[in-house]
Amino acid sequence: MSTLDDLPIREDLRGQVPYGAPQLDVPVSLNVNENTYGIPEAVALSIIEKLAKATVSLNRYPDREFIELRTQLAGFLGHDLSANQVWAANGSNEILQQLFSAFGGPGRVALSFSPTYSMYPNIARITLTKYVEKPRNADFSLDLNQVVRQIQDVEPDIVIFCAPNNPTGTSLSLELIEAAYSVSKGIVVVDEAYSEFSNNPSALGLLPGRPRLVISRTMSKAFAFAGARLGYLAADPAVVDAMRIVRLPYHLSALTQAAASAALEHSNLLLENVERIKRQRDRIIAATSYWGLSPYPSDANFVLVGGFSDSQLVFDQLLRAGVLVRNVGIPHTLRITAGTEAETTKLLAELALLLD
Ligand SMILES: *Cc1c(COP(=O)(O)O)cnc(C)c1O
C-alpha cells in the first residue's frame, strides 16, 4: 500500500485533505443547509416519468447544450432572461469551478471576503488561481467604500461575493455589488445559493449592461434537490460561451437534465416550504438570543449562533443527542440549518438542556 505522498502528485496538493462536512447517520441533520423536507410524491412521480423516458435513450450522449433545461431555468429566474444567458452544471460548485477555469488560472487572482464559503479557496487552488481574502466587519457586513478600495488594490480577475453569505447569513446590498462592478476590470460573481430565502432583491436585476457580472444559483438548497446536483448561472451570453470552452463534453447527464427539468415543472411545490423554513430560522434566532447567545441576523436558511464558551463541546453534546450541526471554525459559534418545525423543536430542546 502506498500513501498519497508516495505518488507523483502536484506539489501544491501534497498534504491536502478532501473537503467535506461529515456525513453521519443521525435523526436530525442540520449541518449542510439542505432543505430537510423531502420531495413531495407528485413531484417524485413526475421525475420518475421523465427519467424513464430518458433511460431508453441512454445509449446516446445527452444534449450537450441542454436547451430544454436552460429554457426552463431562464423562465424560472424571470427578469426577461433567455436560454442563451443561462448555463448549468453538476452543482453550483462545478459552475464556480468552470468560472475559475475560464477567468482565473495561473497568474490570476480571485478576491473574496472572509469568513465566507470555504469552497472558494479550494476551487482557486484546484484551478491554480491565487486567492485573496479580505476580512469582513466584526458583524460580518461589508463596507462599500472599503470593498471598492480593496478591489482597486488587489485588481482581481474574479471578485466573488456570497449573498446571503455562508456561513454568516449576512445579506448584501445591490449598491455594493454595483459599486464593486464599476471599479472592477474582472468578472464579478454573486453566489446566490440562498437567494430564495432572502428578503432582499436578487442581483439578477443588475445583469443588463453588465457583461462581466455572473449570478450563480443552485437547486441544492431551497429547491430541496441537493442529491440531484444541479447548479446554474445567469450572465451575458458571452460568459456562457466561455463556459462552453472549459466544460467537459456532455458534463450534464441525460438523467440529471431529465430530473431537473421535471423538478422545475413543479417549482412552486418544491419551494412551498421556504416560508416555513424561514419561520424556523427566526425561531432559532429568537430562542438563542433569549437564552443570552448571540445569533447573527440571517437572510438564509441557517443561523450562525455565537456566544458559546466552548462551541466544539456543544457540537459534540448535540451530536450525542442526535442533532448534527456545523462547527465552521469561527470561535464560539455554531452554524445551524433551519429544518422542519419538529427538527427545530428537538434542536432547541437539546440546546436548552445543555445550557442549563
Ligand atoms: C451550498 C452552497 C453552494 C451549492 O453547492 P452545490 O454544488 O450547488 O450543491 C454554493 N455556494 C454556497 C455559498 C453554498 O453554501
Side-chain angles (χ1 to χ4, degrees), residues 32-33 90-94 96 117 120 162 166 191 193-194 217-221 226 229-231:
V32 287
N33 300 340
N90 298 284
S92 52
N93 283 319
E94 188 176 60
L96 296 175
Y117 189 38
Y120 302 155
C162 188
N166 181 9
D191 180 350
Y194 300 96
R217 292 282 193 103
T218 181
M219 291 178 74
S220 293
K221 307 287 159 60
R229 310 305 300 127
L230 202 290

Side-chain angles (χ1 to χ4, degrees), residues 74-333:
F76 169 73
L77 289 177
H79 292 269
D80 284 330
L81 289 165
S82 54
N84 68 347
Q85 293 168 281
V86 172
W87 184 251
N90 298 284
S92 52
N93 283 319
E94 188 176 60
I95 288 285
L96 296 175
Q97 184 169 331
Q98 291 181 351
L99 285 167
F100 273 62
S101 298
F103 300 105
R108 295 197 162 212
V109 182
L111 170 67
S112 196
F113 303 90
S114 61
T116 191
Y117 189 38
S118 50
M119 274 306 292
Y120 302 155
N122 275 345
I123 290 169
R125 193 187 66 218
I126 295 164
T127 57
L128 302 173
T129 310
K130 184 180 172 199
Y131 183 69
V132 176
E133 244 177 27
K134 296 290 183 186
R136 289 169 172 265
N137 299 329
D139 65 356
F140 302 129
S141 63
L142 286 177
D143 181 74
L144 187 148
N145 294 319
Q146 201 172 333
V147 166
V148 162
R149 271 198 306 277
Q150 284 161 338
I151 291 173
Q152 288 167 331
D153 244 31
V154 177
E155 297 187 328
D157 301 281
I158 302 172
V159 183
I160 180 157
F161 295 105
C162 188
N165 186 49
N166 181 9
T168 62
T170 321
S171 55
L172 190 68
S173 75
L174 295 189
E175 291 72 33
L176 189 145
I177 296 167
E178 273 185 282
Y181 184 91
S182 66
V183 293
S184 160
K185 294 190 192 72
I187 291 285
V188 176
V189 181
V190 185
D191 180 350
E192 292 194 344
Y194 300 96
S195 165
E196 295 90 344
F197 298 103
S198 170
N199 290 329
N200 291 289
S202 159
L204 285 168
L206 297 179
L207 282 175
R210 292 188 180 84
R212 293 176 288 106
L213 181 63
V214 181
I215 315 300
S216 169
R217 292 282 193 103
T218 181
M219 291 178 74
S220 293
K221 307 287 159 60
F223 251 97
F225 221 49
R229 310 305 300 127
L230 202 290
Y232 55 107
L233 66 73
D236 190 273
V239 171
V240 173
D241 287 341
M243 299 296 92
R244 280 198 187 87
I245 295 179
V246 296
R247 65 107 190 273
L248 295 173
Y250 315 109
H251 68 291
L252 214 53
S253 91
L255 298 177
T256 304
Q257 293 182 37
S261 168
L264 279 162
E265 284 169 13
H266 296 277
S267 55
N268 287 347
L269 254 177
L270 283 172
L271 294 174
E272 208 173 39
N273 293 314
V274 164
E275 288 307 315
R276 278 187 199 102
I277 292 166
K278 283 163 73 174
R279 280 199 290 279
Q280 298 313 310
R281 169 197 70 196
D282 294 341
R283 196 176 151 214
I284 295 170
I285 292 175
T288 53
S289 135
Y290 181 74
W291 295 333
L293 295 168
S294 314
Y296 290 87
S298 173
D299 209 19
N301 68 334
F302 56 86
V303 184
L304 185 73
V305 181
F308 296 106
S309 50
D310 184 345
S311 52
Q312 187 57 38
L313 182 67
V314 175
F315 173 94
D316 292 335
Q317 287 170 326
L318 282 175
L319 185 55
R320 235 171 286 134
V323 181
L324 179 60
V325 298
R326 189 86 177 264
N327 183 351
V328 294
I330 302 173
H332 308 294
T333 73

